[in-house]
Amino acid sequence: MKKEKVLKQLYGPVFTIYTPFLKEKLSINFEELEKYINFLFNKGVSIFYVMPYNSRYSQLRESEIFELNKFCIETVKNLSQENLIIVSDSIHGPTSLSIDYAMEAKKSGADIFASIVREKYFEDKHVLLHYENLSRAVNIPLLVHEMPFLSGYSSKNILWPLTLLKGLKQIDNIIAIKEDAKDIKYAQEVIKIFEPDIRVIFAGRKKYFYALKESGLKSYLNGISMINPKLAFHFWELYEKGEHDEIVEFLSKYDDPFWDGPVKKYGWHRVNKASLEIVGLMSRIERSPLRELNKHELKEIEPLILKIANSL
């Protein structure tokens, strides 16, 4: 797809592809993976994102990430060439490896390639060089996965400097940024820098997304709608119309109980796979060192997850 068409299509809810594992060998369960992609597509989803943490790259070998990306691209595009598919590089590794991932992604038919930099932060330049080199090497629309850095000086979490974000805007091929700081005031600054020329995809609970409406936010990464895509489309309709009272009711009925309950107690990443198992979409099994919720914990969150799954 051309960059302009991709930017126009990258609007509204973006859906994560989760990676299931076989219980016996802990290899990737491609059958369940295809089942989940088909589930999303049949519910009206057209924007798919294979991403480092939700898609379990931290539990995969490099060869498996190449394989996973290729499988997801081909599966999504076989359903419809009009679908938008985003895949990523690994959480750690040199820029040369990111270029290899991007080249393979482009060859397989990806629309956007996402890149995350988890090296410690010392200065803007080394981050800018990563994306500049990636852009020069592979002519594909790029998504910047903006996630707080560890400082190379203090080892504390730090937000991306605004000077760095402004520098990224000047790089060819960058079409989107996944805003992952979970900070409303900072997100407002990010949106001000990038929109409308570069799409900002906000990651976080919907009450924070709603708070950014006046700032011009036009896309977000799905949460509870991983098990019920109708919720994402319903929320988006309310969001675009500015139906404040209905949005507040939606948040209190569906979204807030999920984040303030299971996620607060057990953590987003373990709860998402557990939720998918509860509704019969894939196994919650994880690879060590990540541990899935046990049977007691699963039973505890089940009533709320089933309520969400059967809503609307």
Side-chain angles (χ1 to χ4, degrees):
M1 290 187 185
K2 292 184 178 180
K3 183 176 179 180
E4 297 77 17
K5 184 178 180 181
V6 172
L7 182 62
K8 185 178 180 180
Q9 188 175 347
L10 194 59
Y11 186 86
V14 176
F15 286 78
T16 296
I17 294 176
Y18 300 88
T19 302
F21 298 108
L22 290 164
K23 292 182 179 180
E24 298 78 18
K25 299 180 180 179
L26 292 183
S27 55
I28 297 174
N29 189 333
F30 287 102
E31 184 178 339
E32 283 193 344
L33 180 58
E34 183 176 11
K35 174 185 173 182
Y36 186 61
I37 292 172
N38 276 274
F39 162 78
L40 292 176
F41 177 75
N42 290 331
K43 296 296 184 180
V45 173
S46 62
I47 308 175
F48 300 80
Y49 184 2
V50 190
M51 55 176 295
Y53 289 100
N54 283 357
S55 302
R56 301 312 195 255
Y57 283 25
S58 59
Q59 298 178 45
L60 302 179
R61 298 176 182 271
E62 287 178 10
S63 60
E64 291 178 307
I65 295 174
F66 280 106
E67 187 179 12
L68 175 69
N69 285 352
K70 187 176 191 299
F71 180 86
C72 290
I73 294 165
E74 292 178 349
T75 302
V76 166
K77 287 298 186 179
N78 283 339
L79 289 169
S80 172
Q81 286 296 313
E82 293 303 309
N83 285 335
L84 198 69
I85 176 69
I86 308 165
V87 298
S88 180
D89 55 11
S90 53
I91 295 170
H92 291 283
T95 299
S96 58
L97 178 59
S98 295
I99 290 171
D100 290 344
Y101 283 123
M103 285 181 170
E104 287 300 311
K106 183 180 179 181
K107 188 187 303 182
S108 297
D111 298 297
I112 301 175
F113 182 75
S115 183
I116 185 170
V117 175
R118 296 304 289 151
E119 180 57 86
K120 288 187 176 182
Y121 174 85
F122 291 94
E123 59 179 354
D124 289 359
K125 189 60 181 174
H126 78 265
V127 183
L128 291 172
L129 279 173
H130 170 81
Y131 289 102
E132 287 171 1
N133 290 333
L134 185 55
S135 178
R136 279 196 296 266
V138 189
N139 184 26
I140 185 173
L142 298 175
L143 182 152
V144 175
H145 189 151
E146 170 255 302
M147 186 175 183
F149 288 118
L150 278 179
S151 169
Y153 301 98
S154 67
S155 291
K156 292 181 180 179
N157 274 329
I158 59 170
L159 299 175
W160 289 37
L162 298 183
T163 53
L164 170 56
L165 298 179
K166 290 173 182 176
L168 289 168
K169 190 173 183 180
Q170 308 309 313
I171 297 175
D172 291 338
N173 288 323
I174 290 181
I175 195 174
I177 180 164
K178 177 178 178 283
E179 205 297 295
D180 215 356
K182 311 294 191 292
D183 182 303
I184 296 298
K185 289 184 178 179
Y186 180 76
Q188 289 172 335
E189 293 298 321
V190 175
I191 295 165
K192 188 186 300 183
I193 290 170
F194 290 107
E195 288 284 1
D197 303 314
I198 293 174
R199 182 69 69 242
V200 176
I201 303 171
F202 182 76
R205 56 196 296 175
K206 288 182 178 62
K207 75 175 183 180
Y208 299 140
F209 178 82
Y210 181 47
L212 294 167
K213 185 179 191 301
E214 297 306 314
S215 299
L217 190 61
K218 297 178 176 67
S219 188
Y220 74 97
L221 194 69
N222 75 312
I224 56 174
S225 50
M226 63 184 165
I227 55 174
N228 185 352
K230 286 190 295 185
L231 289 170
F233 300 128
H234 180 62
F235 173 77
W236 186 249
E237 183 180 358
L238 297 177
Y239 178 85
E240 286 196 301
K241 291 180 179 178
E243 301 285 355
H244 176 74
D245 291 342
E246 290 185 55
I247 288 175
V248 170
E249 181 182 359
F250 178 96
L251 296 176
S252 64
K253 191 173 182 179
Y254 302 117
D255 209 55
D256 290 344
F258 177 74
W259 291 96
D260 294 332
V263 172
K264 184 176 181 180
K265 186 169 184 179
Y266 295 117
W268 159 249
H269 291 96
R270 295 198 299 160
V271 167
N272 57 39
K273 287 282 285 286
S275 300
L276 291 166
E277 177 170 306
I278 287 170
V279 299
L281 290 169
M282 68 175 62
S283 168
R284 73 185 190 281
I285 297 298
E286 304 285 7
R287 282 179 175 174
S288 179
L290 185 61
R291 296 293 295 164
E292 65 273 3
L293 298 191
N294 62 38
K295 290 182 180 180
H296 172 75
E297 294 163 338
L298 192 71
K299 196 69 176 175
E300 180 186 337
I301 70 170
E302 184 176 336
L304 176 61
I305 301 307
L306 290 176
K307 178 183 176 182
I308 292 170
N310 295 314
S311 299
L312 301 181

